[in-house]
Amino acid sequence: MYVYLLWHTSHLGGRDEKLLGVYATRTEAEARVRRSRALPGFREEPNGFHIAEYRVNADQWAEGFLTV
């Protein structure tokens, strides 16, 4: 089973990422993109949307990390 996370990244005034929702299907996430493109802020950056597919109950980051 997969879920679809919808993100919007804005570069106006610095980088800003917003999680708009988690959807059961890609079609539902795409419908939200269409609705959001008319809203203030989003309409100024209509190409900032990204849909990410994630498998449920699966590790997404299985390794550690270093801060430099």
Side-chain angles (χ1 to χ4, degrees), residues 2-6 22-34 49-54:
Y2 292 87
V3 293
Y4 300 86
L5 280 63
L6 174 59
V22 179
Y23 301 90
T25 67
R26 179 173 289 277
T27 301
E28 291 171 313
E30 290 168 348
R32 173 63 198 265
V33 169
R34 288 189 296 277
F49 295 96
H50 174 72
I51 299 171
E53 179 183 86
Y54 286 91

Side-chain angles (χ1 to χ4, degrees), residues 4-51:
Y4 300 86
L5 280 63
L6 174 59
W7 294 89
H8 184 270
T9 303
S10 172
H11 295 284
L12 298 174
R15 186 179 171 103
D16 179 35
E17 295 182 332
K18 294 165 281 312
L19 176 62
L20 300 182
V22 179
Y23 301 90
T25 67
R26 179 173 289 277
T27 301
E28 291 171 313
E30 290 168 348
R32 173 63 198 265
V33 169
R34 288 189 296 277
R35 293 192 307 272
S36 296
R37 281 197 170 130
L39 300 173
F42 297 119
R43 69 176 159 236
E44 285 76 31
E45 293 198 53
N47 297 321
F49 295 96
H50 174 72
I51 299 171

